[in-house]
Amino acid sequence: MIEPPIPANEIERVAAVHRLNVLDTPLEERFDRITRMVCTALGVPMAAFSLIDETRQWQKSNAGLPGYVIPRNQSFCAHVVNQDEMLTVPDTSKDMRFHDHPAVTSGLGVGFYAGAPVHSPDGFLVGSLCAIDTKPRDLTPEQLQVLRDLADMVEAELRADLLQRDNAKLLSLLQASQRQAMIDPLTHIWNRAGLNEILKREWSEARRREQPVVVAIVDVDHFKKVNDTYGHPAGDLVLQSLARRITSVLRTEDTVGRMGGEEFLVVLPNCKPEEMLQVLERMRTLIAAVPVETGNSVISFTLSCGAILVDPKAMTVEQAIEHADQALYEAKQAGRNRIVLAR
């Protein structure tokens, strides 16, 4: 395996990566949508939008890949940052740079790679949008153009207001090291510490604007059975899938985080009662309708949800979570795979 070269403008390039304020931030549907489009349009099982910093390849979004962080010296995408053009490897086993790479010889069994460069708004090459297959293949000129076009879409998102989400105010106030401590490494969404910060801010803002807030607790039904039947790696895939699907149905101002285990917390600021039910029901039906595929297994699962619509002037954050948790308990007692609103 040949390690990727270091670009001549490495200091400026890495600074541009950090200026994006995207490293170590949660999943976003706008980027997940693009990686899904890569898989569909090119007929590949794996795709990722990655940023390359000093020591690692960090994936803001991936489809079909098991993790989000790769050492830079083992990164396919790091080879893209030293050239301002598409990198295609039709057969990794015959390419001197990659033929003995661990991802080629074992594990993922990468047989094909194509990466399109992604630039920051100020013109630095900061990462790539890549397509990966387990078998050697070629892309047609039309497919290569599709990958380039989708990389352009990523760049357009980077040029747009990166702080679209309501919780981006928190991101702008935190240093990268603080953000890392608030991101759940498995699901790539906020962890309990991040949720606590977001809830404090949402409560204060909602009180100032005299607007309601929805707090919902989501729990995977019979999750222990999933782990016992299929193993903990499969259980991890279920939790990752759940995080992605919840993110995909939320509004831009909403927040989801992992409280721990198989419990997730959803915050819907300034949400009307009928809108609350629409969002939560979309989430529940999507989870129940689409199983998770892992190896030779297809895992179907459902979720239970307890929710409360709160006037922040009348109730504390802790009280709201307590009421939502009680509603979740009632949902489970009533048969699971349902939403119960706190009375």
Side-chain angles (χ1 to χ4, degrees):
M1 181 181 68
I2 298 176
E3 292 190 10
I6 302 298
N9 63 342
E10 178 66 358
I11 294 177
E12 295 86 352
R13 192 199 65 77
V14 169
V17 173
H18 288 280
R19 281 198 300 273
L20 291 172
N21 203 31
V22 174
L23 285 171
D24 302 302
T25 59
L27 292 171
E28 292 185 67
E29 173 62 11
R30 57 187 177 140
F31 293 115
D32 285 350
R33 187 182 303 118
I34 294 173
T35 51
R36 291 197 302 267
M37 290 170 66
V38 172
C39 290
T40 301
L42 275 59
V44 296
M46 295 170 279
F49 160 43
S50 301
L51 297 167
I52 308 297
D53 70 3
E54 300 96 322
T55 60
R56 59 182 174 157
Q57 171 185 323
W58 186 84
Q59 296 170 354
K60 173 63 177 174
S61 172
N62 75 39
L65 291 165
Y68 290 91
V69 182
I70 300 169
R72 179 169 173 167
N73 61 2
Q74 297 180 19
S75 166
F76 279 63
C77 293
H79 286 266
V80 178
V81 302
N82 201 38
Q83 60 183 58
D84 199 2
E85 59 184 18
M86 183 84 69
L87 171 64
T88 57
V89 186
D91 187 343
T92 58
S93 68
K94 297 179 180 179
D95 191 297
M96 291 299 296
R97 293 168 294 182
F98 307 113
H99 69 95
D100 57 349
H101 191 289
V104 174
T105 59
S106 61
L108 290 175
V110 174
F112 163 85
Y113 171 90
V118 171
H119 299 83
S120 66
D122 46 3
F124 288 94
L125 189 50
V126 292
S128 74
L129 179 69
C130 71
I132 300 171
D133 205 338
T134 55
K135 57 183 182 295
R137 59 176 295 174
D138 289 303
L139 294 182
T140 66
E142 292 77 16
Q143 288 174 318
L144 289 171
Q145 186 60 54
V146 167
L147 187 56
R148 289 192 183 95
D149 290 344
L150 292 173
D152 288 343
M153 290 178 61
V154 173
E155 291 180 358
E157 291 292 344
L158 295 178
R159 288 193 299 269
D161 182 10
L162 294 177
L163 307 183
Q164 291 177 10
R165 295 173 66 100
D166 191 53
N167 64 25
K169 293 179 182 177
L170 173 61
L171 297 178
S172 67
L173 296 175
L174 295 174
Q175 299 295 321
S177 59
Q178 294 174 295
R179 291 205 304 260
Q180 290 178 33
M182 293 184 178
I183 299 296
D184 178 57
L186 176 64
T187 59
H188 217 46
I189 58 177
W190 296 112
N191 61 17
R192 183 181 287 271
L195 283 171
N196 288 339
E197 290 294 328
I198 288 166
L199 282 167
K200 289 177 186 177
R201 183 174 51 77
E202 291 293 359
W203 233 250
S204 176
E205 187 71 7
R207 292 184 62 168
R208 184 180 68 82
R209 296 185 178 183
E210 298 185 346
Q211 294 175 340
V213 178
V214 173
V215 174
I217 299 178
V218 175
D219 187 274
V220 180
D221 293 329
H222 303 295
F223 185 68
K224 184 178 184 300
K225 184 177 180 181
V226 173
N227 279 333
D228 291 345
T229 304
Y230 301 101
H232 287 276
D236 288 348
L237 287 176
V238 167
L239 295 179
Q240 291 172 338
S241 174
L242 179 61
R244 286 184 181 280
R245 296 185 201 179
I246 293 176
T247 302
S248 73
V249 302
L250 296 184
R251 306 169 305 167
T252 56
E253 63 267 36
D254 300 334
T255 300
V256 59
R258 185 184 179 197
M259 298 180 70
E262 68 271 25
E263 278 197 347
F264 294 73
L265 187 138
V266 177
V267 183
L268 312 177
N270 192 24
C271 191
K272 299 176 182 178
E274 61 274 17
E275 194 175 18
M276 167 185 67
L277 288 173
Q278 289 173 358
V279 172
L280 296 178
E281 186 59 25
R282 278 203 309 271
M283 175 181 67
R284 187 195 67 79
T285 55
L286 177 62
I287 298 302
V290 184
V292 172
E293 296 185 13
T294 169
N296 297 322
S297 302
V298 177
I299 305 173
S300 296
F301 66 102
T302 59
L303 60 81
S304 298
C305 175
I308 184 170
L309 181 65
V310 180
D311 175 359
K313 290 186 176 181
M315 190 178 294
T316 66
V317 170
E318 293 75 19
Q319 288 170 331
I321 292 176
E322 184 178 343
H323 283 288
D325 194 50
Q326 177 59 37
L328 172 64
Y329 175 78
E330 294 175 13
K332 289 184 173 293
Q333 291 296 107
R336 305 176 190 265
N337 189 24
R338 66 192 64 220
I339 298 165
V340 170
L341 303 182
R343 295 185 292 272

